[in-house]
Amino acid sequence: MLSALWAQIIDLSLFIVLLRFTTPILLSALGGLIADVAGVINIGLEGLMLISAFSAIAVGSVTDSWVLGMVAGVASSMLVCYGMGFFSLKLKVDMIITGFAVNIFGSGVTIFLMNKIFGVTGNYSPSAIHNIPVVHIPVIESIPVLGKLLSGHSLMTWIAFLSVLICVFILYKTPYGVHLRSVGEAPQAAKSLGISVHRIQFSALAWSGLFTGLAGAYLSMGMTSMFVKDMTAGTGFLALAVVLLGNRNPIGILFGSLIFGLASAIATVVQTIPGSKVPSQFIQMIPYLVTIVALIFFAIRKKRKLNDALRAQTERSKIAAA
Amino acid sequence: MNTKQAIYLEITGIIVAAVLAILCGFIVIMFSSEQPMEAISSFLGGPLSGAFNIGTILNKAVPLIFTGLALSVVFQCGVFSMGAEGQLYVGAFVGSLVAVYVHGLPAWILLPLVLLCAMAGGALYGAVPGWLKTKWDANEIVTTLMLNFVAILTTSYLVNNVFKDSASGGYARMHYVADGTKLGKIFAGFPAHYGVLIALLAAVVVYLFMYKTRSGYEMRLVGKNSRFANYGGISTKRVVIVSVMISGALAGLAGIVEILGVHGTYKDNFSSGLGFDGIIIALLARNHPIGVVAVSLFYAYLQVGATQMQVGSDVPRELAIIIQVMLVLFVSSQAIFTYLKQKSALRQKAVN
């Protein structure tokens, strides 16, 4: 079994699977990041992805256009995010509760609509669908290793990695990014400087919807060509864990997503190896276990840092007292 | 404003929110159905037509009462656990193992033993995220969510491979539990089983524990202000661990009572989200045990109504989920309640 896994590493198919799994986690984690930076933690990523995945493939299959499908996915996800903003910012519902509600809503409303519109209950797979295209780079494609590394990935994979840069730019290079961060750090102070806290938080939620919408559209129109009920299967929760681990930093989010993408990729590759002795349930568990371990690791590190800082402070006060 | 008035306003607010949520459901029906009147009448009237449906409501409310209580305990202690689903599976699994494989004990010993083992299983599984939180401050929302997946997959492996009843064919289930441990019907010809009484008893016990004992008081204090509690000499960590273990034990009870009362055997994936429904119920009940019972009944009524509607019209039963979500949002919206309170205060001023 290990030799088969090794073979897949050598011929780079593990790398390709890794990118496929990283793409949705990365995009929705970036969505979670922007909301988190502005102080509105969005735990509804899972539900948003489901809603977007369904709208994307529904519109995509009816209009026969992947662009319209993707736009519909993003629009529906952003719309729900505005709804979240309405309830949590205007009606003062706890943000965690709103996110939780969105997760249940996403699961229920997609099954409801699938049933009402297409008359099916478990999954909807249109007979023909134009998926989000795969990017083939002309010259590089034919170079042995480089071709496989750079060419033949979904357009959405490129968008995902580009989005990391976009997030870095928004957060650290624009006045808007300063507003976002200040609202998240100290809303009262931001308010006193004349920043409209609600407006910034609404816009952060909209960004959240945009990125999560892209992630959802990729699930139904990139990774697969169908919608299956609850097809996210915890991807949104993995993304949420990445948000918490990523230290409020797009680069941290990128690395976190790659770790979870790798865990999922290994799970799939091991599962498809013929004659594998490991029960499938334990392989499916890998990403969730990795999340727990990573969270503990992160928490220990944070605690140690905090303790160091405290110790340094007491040292300083001792010196000052002396 | 005295306490009685405050409770009265709170209940008024919750009823207003429930009516708003159901109205939202009706709007969806109007837009999506070709026979909206049939859909609405079978949704509202169906659950109360006949003893069978009423019994079904009671049976459906039983696991919801347990998970609702489970989450109300940890929520009151300020821990936002999402882990009842996983604890429910572990508890049900451990309890079922005892119910299936322990022989030679009289039923009046075996049944309590089964329930206790299920509670212990759920409590120990609940202790894991609690320990991670108190020891390293690991975010409990994420750990409990992830541990749900771990519990569901592990039990699924075990019931598919190790403890599968060879006579079950393609079904992944254990052997049927011993006859004496099954929870029978309370009255002949009425589907409600004895789990209803256990659930009510649990609600009373949790109420007494949370509001009449020192430990319960400490938990509520930690939930309100953990720093103050710590300052007042309460060991916050111990209180948190105890609360997640009680919560896990109640979730385990939810699982085993469902197995003993409804299925008669441990089935793979039998829960389909009971643990998550418990979160909604605890939120709607404002974490109050008596409220949990009332809300669970209402929630079960919605579910039975949705099934009746699916049979009697062209509206899928997932409509109930949409109503549930609106319920959660309206009931949690502080703005509505503040508005009601302000209005009542103004009215009082006018009277005086």
Side-chain angles (χ1 to χ4, degrees):
Chain A
M1 193 193 89
L2 276 178
S3 63
L5 186 62
W6 182 244
Q8 299 222 17
I9 295 173
I10 292 292
D11 77 357
L12 295 177
S13 43
L14 183 72
F15 176 75
I16 290 162
V17 184
L18 162 72
L19 286 188
R20 283 171 60 85
F21 280 103
T22 305
T23 303
I25 300 179
L26 178 56
L27 278 168
S28 73
L30 287 173
L33 168 78
I34 297 212
D36 190 31
V37 164
V40 275
I41 179 133
N42 184 354
I43 73 160
L45 301 174
E46 180 95 354
L48 290 169
M49 276 166 90
L50 274 175
I51 290 165
S52 149
F54 178 76
S55 328
I57 201 158
V59 172
S61 69
V62 170
T63 61
D64 205 20
S65 146
W66 64 270
V67 179
L68 287 180
M70 207 166 88
V71 170
V74 168
S76 61
S77 165
M78 287 176 80
L79 195 70
V80 176
C81 275
Y82 269 107
M84 289 176 87
F86 172 75
F87 276 104
S88 64
L89 302 175
K90 295 267 187 237
L91 291 184
K92 306 272 175 238
V93 179
D94 187 289
M95 197 63 210
I96 300 281
I97 295 176
T98 317
F100 172 72
V102 165
N103 284 335
I104 322 172
F105 179 72
S107 168
V109 83
T110 48
I111 300 173
F112 180 84
L113 290 176
M114 185 162 64
N115 195 333
K116 275 307 322 178
I117 301 175
F118 301 109
V120 288
T121 45
N123 61 67
Y124 167 63
S125 46
S127 47
I129 171 94
H130 281 113
N131 267 348
I132 297 169
V134 168
V135 182
H136 292 284
I137 307 172
V139 184
I140 296 175
E141 197 181 2
S142 50
I143 303 172
V145 175
L146 207 61
K148 245 188 164 174
L149 284 180
L150 289 179
S151 182
H153 305 306
S154 171
L155 174 66
M156 196 60 91
T157 305
W158 289 102
I159 295 179
F161 285 95
L162 195 65
S163 300
V164 177
L165 295 179
I166 295 175
C167 283
V168 170
F169 179 77
I170 293 176
L171 287 177
Y172 300 108
K173 305 286 173 203
T174 62
Y176 172 69
V178 178
H179 287 186
L180 274 177
R181 283 182 289 148
S182 56
V183 164
E185 291 283 332
Q188 294 301 329
K191 201 173 178 182
S192 70
L193 289 175
I195 300 171
S196 165
V197 174
H198 270 191
R199 222 176 56 212
I200 294 287
Q201 288 182 332
F202 259 110
S203 73
L205 279 171
W207 281 108
S208 201
L210 170 76
F211 287 122
T212 316
L214 288 172
Y218 174 73
L219 281 186
S220 62
M221 283 206 315
M223 255 173 130
T224 59
S225 310
M226 51 154 68
F227 180 85
V228 186
K229 73 171 190 179
D230 296 323
M231 72 186 298
T232 40
T235 313
F237 296 132
L238 295 182
L240 178 65
V242 173
V243 173
L244 292 171
L245 300 176
N247 223 356
R248 293 198 166 181
N249 179 329
I251 306 297
I253 299 284
L254 174 64
F255 281 109
S257 308
L258 283 170
I259 292 174
F260 291 110
L262 184 66
S264 303
I266 290 178
T268 327
V269 166
V270 171
Q271 227 168 347
T272 49
I273 289 171
S276 163
K277 290 265 178 357
V278 188
S280 65
Q281 284 94 347
F282 289 110
I283 296 166
Q284 286 168 34
M285 228 182 268
I286 295 173
Y288 310 121
L289 288 176
V290 167
T291 308
I292 297 174
V293 172
L295 196 67
I296 296 170
F297 180 77
F298 176 74
I300 292 175
R301 216 188 56 177
K302 202 168 92 180
K303 198 164 184 183
R304 197 166 291 160
K305 255 189 199 162
L306 200 71
N307 282 345
D308 285 351
L310 278 176
R311 202 174 304 128
Q313 203 175 14
T314 38
E315 295 281 320
R316 263 203 303 278
S317 54
K318 261 184 208 160
I319 293 165
Chain B
M1 203 183 297
N2 59 37
T3 355
K4 214 171 167 188
Q5 263 176 322
I7 293 172
Y8 171 73
L9 275 176
E10 194 79 12
I11 291 173
T12 319
I14 290 174
I15 290 171
V16 168
V19 171
L20 279 177
I22 290 178
L23 282 179
C24 286
F26 288 171
I27 293 171
V28 176
I29 291 178
M30 292 293 183
F31 275 106
S32 67
S33 173
E34 293 185 353
Q35 52 218 95
M37 283 307 145
E38 280 92 335
I40 291 176
S41 75
S42 56
F43 180 58
L44 289 184
L48 298 177
S49 64
F52 180 79
N53 285 333
I54 294 174
T56 312
I57 293 180
L58 290 176
N59 279 349
K60 281 203 181 284
V62 169
L64 300 175
I65 293 174
F66 285 120
T67 52
L69 290 172
L71 290 158
S72 70
V73 171
V74 275
F75 287 174
Q76 286 224 37
C77 191
V79 181
F80 209 89
S81 164
M82 299 230 174
E85 184 80 354
Q87 293 150 12
L88 177 147
Y89 273 101
V90 173
F93 192 84
V94 175
S96 303
L97 283 182
V98 177
V100 171
Y101 292 101
V102 173
H103 299 287
L105 287 177
W108 61 273
I109 297 178
L110 184 57
L111 182 60
L113 184 71
V114 169
L115 297 181
L116 276 177
C117 288
M119 288 169 79
L124 288 178
Y125 202 67
V128 176
W131 182 70
L132 294 177
K133 181 182 166 70
T134 50
K135 176 89 178 156
W136 287 308
D137 205 19
N139 184 302
E140 75 268 22
I141 297 178
V142 177
T143 52
T144 49
L145 276 171
M146 296 298 136
L147 285 169
N148 286 340
F149 289 107
V150 173
I152 292 168
L153 287 167
T154 309
T155 50
S156 170
Y157 166 76
L158 291 172
V159 77
N160 269 296
N161 297 285
V162 186
F163 297 105
K164 189 175 168 183
D165 179 1
S166 49
S168 69
Y171 253 161
R173 61 161 176 81
M174 282 189 201
H175 290 279
Y176 282 99
V177 299
D179 275 339
T181 52
K182 271 183 205 150
L183 296 170
K185 309 269 177 279
I186 305 175
F187 307 110
F190 189 61
H193 60 76
Y194 275 105
V196 176
L197 302 181
I198 305 179
L200 291 177
L201 182 69
V204 173
V205 171
V206 172
Y207 171 77
L208 293 176
F209 176 78
M210 288 309 282
Y211 292 95
K212 306 288 172 198
T213 68
R214 190 197 151 115
S215 304
Y217 171 74
E218 285 180 354
M219 276 178 201
R220 288 184 293 129
L221 195 62
V222 168
K224 285 244 157 58
N225 190 339
S226 70
R227 286 170 93 177
F228 175 75
N230 220 346
Y231 191 70
I234 293 173
S235 160
T236 324
K237 289 185 178 176
R238 189 184 56 82
V239 171
V240 166
I241 294 267
V242 170
S243 84
V244 290
M245 288 185 74
I246 293 175
S247 170
L250 287 163
L253 263 184
I256 195 66
V257 168
E258 187 72 355
I259 298 286
L260 300 179
V262 178
H263 303 293
T265 174
Y266 183 92
K267 285 180 185 162
D268 198 9
N269 289 320
F270 73 96
S271 158
S272 65
L274 291 170
F276 293 107
D277 292 339
I279 300 176
I280 298 186
I281 286 162
L283 288 173
L284 296 182
R286 294 278 197 261
N287 299 330
H288 196 288
I290 309 303
V292 164
V293 174
V295 172
S296 298
L297 286 169
F298 177 62
Y299 198 88
Y301 168 81
L302 286 183
Q303 284 183 339
V304 176
T307 316
Q308 292 285 318
M309 178 178 64
Q310 174 155 303
V311 176
S313 76
D314 61 346
V315 181
R317 65 160 181 245
E318 276 73 27
L319 180 89
I321 300 182
I322 298 174
I323 295 181
Q324 286 155 11
V325 167
M326 297 323 281
L327 249 179
V328 171
L329 291 173
F330 285 128
V331 170
S332 325
S333 85
Q334 292 164 30
I336 292 179
F337 288 84
T338 319
Y339 174 79
L340 279 174
K341 272 170 201 157
Q342 275 171 351
K343 227 176 123 184
S344 135
L346 278 179
R347 203 180 303 134
Q348 250 178 358
K349 227 182 209 169
V351 171
N352 295 337

